[in-house]
Amino acid sequence: MSSLFDSAKFVMSVADIEGLPDSELPEIAFAGRSNAGKSTSINCICRQSRLAFSSKTPGRTQLLNFFELSVKGEKPRERIPKGYLVDLPGYGFAKAAPETRKTWENLVGGYVVGREQLKGIVIVMDARRPFMPADEFLLDFLLPREDLAIHFLLNKSDQLKTTEKRASMEMARKRAAELGGNITYQLFSGLKKEGIQELQDVLTGWLGLPKGS
Ligand code: GDP
């Protein structure tokens, strides 16, 4: 095991902003509507089938889960931590109670707005229907963070025909242009394991590491 993403290891769950780790390591967050395939995407790029768990009931897992990413050191078995991958609670509140919404806003909103260590956020969306109101709700939170990189992951691309893929990419291109800033986007399939290298390259770039780390 030597690659950055293969090294992902669960370190902690955080239920409130005060509990965030006291660390200067850069952080990369994964967000997405429940069922968009966020857990599948994380497990897929880290090549571990049970790293991130999906939350079938919205609001059940209102926690930030931190996974440490490390590279090989000089000494035998030495690992050097390089950053955290942070799995944010899923959103999409059709079934959620108002207090669940409030908890999400305080925790996730507070984290994405205030966390200096957060360098970039991957927004996992179903490529067949990206930019749903709940995604836009998250994007609103990100507006004050002009420094933050955003990557639209158009997941489940295996469900799309070529013309639909093109249309989905075009929607992402338009939305990125409207929002401005450092926004990238790609098609992805966690199921077919397509687009992994492209996503890994974006993330290693955010961490300031060379491609292929
Ligand atoms: P989460 O709630 O965002 O963490 O979503 P999950 O990772 O649990 O995935 C939700 C559902 O979508 C599951 O049934 C997955 O098998 C399915 N899924 C995830 N990724 C893909 C994909 O790339 N293609 C297809 N067709 N289904 C996917």
Side-chain angles (χ1 to χ4, degrees), residues 106-130:
N106 289 341
L107 181 61
V108 182
Y111 171 74
V112 296
V113 174
R115 184 74 165 169
E116 244 179 76
Q117 295 90 323
L118 180 65
K119 302 299 173 203
I121 182 163
V122 177
I123 304 186
V124 183
M125 295 179 283
D126 187 325
R128 294 169 290 189
R129 36 182 180 275

Side-chain angles (χ1 to χ4, degrees), residues 31-43 52-56 87-88 90-91 124 126 128 154-159 188-194:
R33 294 172 64 231
S34 306
N35 231 33
K38 178 170 57 73
S39 318
T40 307
S41 316
I42 293 174
N43 292 338
F53 294 107
S54 67
S55 51
K56 287 296 156 230
D87 184 11
L88 303 180
Y91 50 81
V124 183
D126 187 325
R128 294 169 290 189
L154 304 168
N155 189 35
K156 309 195 185 182
S157 67
D158 53 276
Q159 298 294 307
F188 188 86
S189 168
L191 187 76
K192 292 272 162 73
K193 309 211 186 305
E194 283 167 7

Side-chain angles (χ1 to χ4, degrees), residues 63-131:
L63 295 169
L64 309 185
N65 292 309
F66 280 70
F67 302 96
E68 187 188 270
L69 303 175
S70 60
V71 294
K72 223 164 148 254
E74 301 270 296
K75 296 183 204 129
R77 288 188 296 280
E78 185 191 19
R79 303 291 308 178
I80 304 166
K82 289 291 179 183
Y84 288 116
L85 198 159
V86 185
D87 184 11
L88 303 180
Y91 50 81
F93 297 114
K95 281 185 258 172
E99 55 268 29
T100 307
R101 222 182 250 246
K102 196 81 218 143
T103 310
W104 188 90
E105 279 180 39
N106 289 341
L107 181 61
V108 182
Y111 171 74
V112 296
V113 174
R115 184 74 165 169
E116 244 179 76
Q117 295 90 323
L118 180 65
K119 302 299 173 203
I121 182 163
V122 177
I123 304 186
V124 183
M125 295 179 283
D126 187 325
R128 294 169 290 189
R129 36 182 180 275
F131 308 104

Side-chain angles (χ1 to χ4, degrees), residues 42-57:
I42 293 174
N43 292 338
C44 189
I45 63 162
C46 298
R47 295 199 293 179
Q48 300 178 46
S49 57
R50 297 161 150 276
L51 197 61
F53 294 107
S54 67
S55 51
K56 287 296 156 230
T57 315

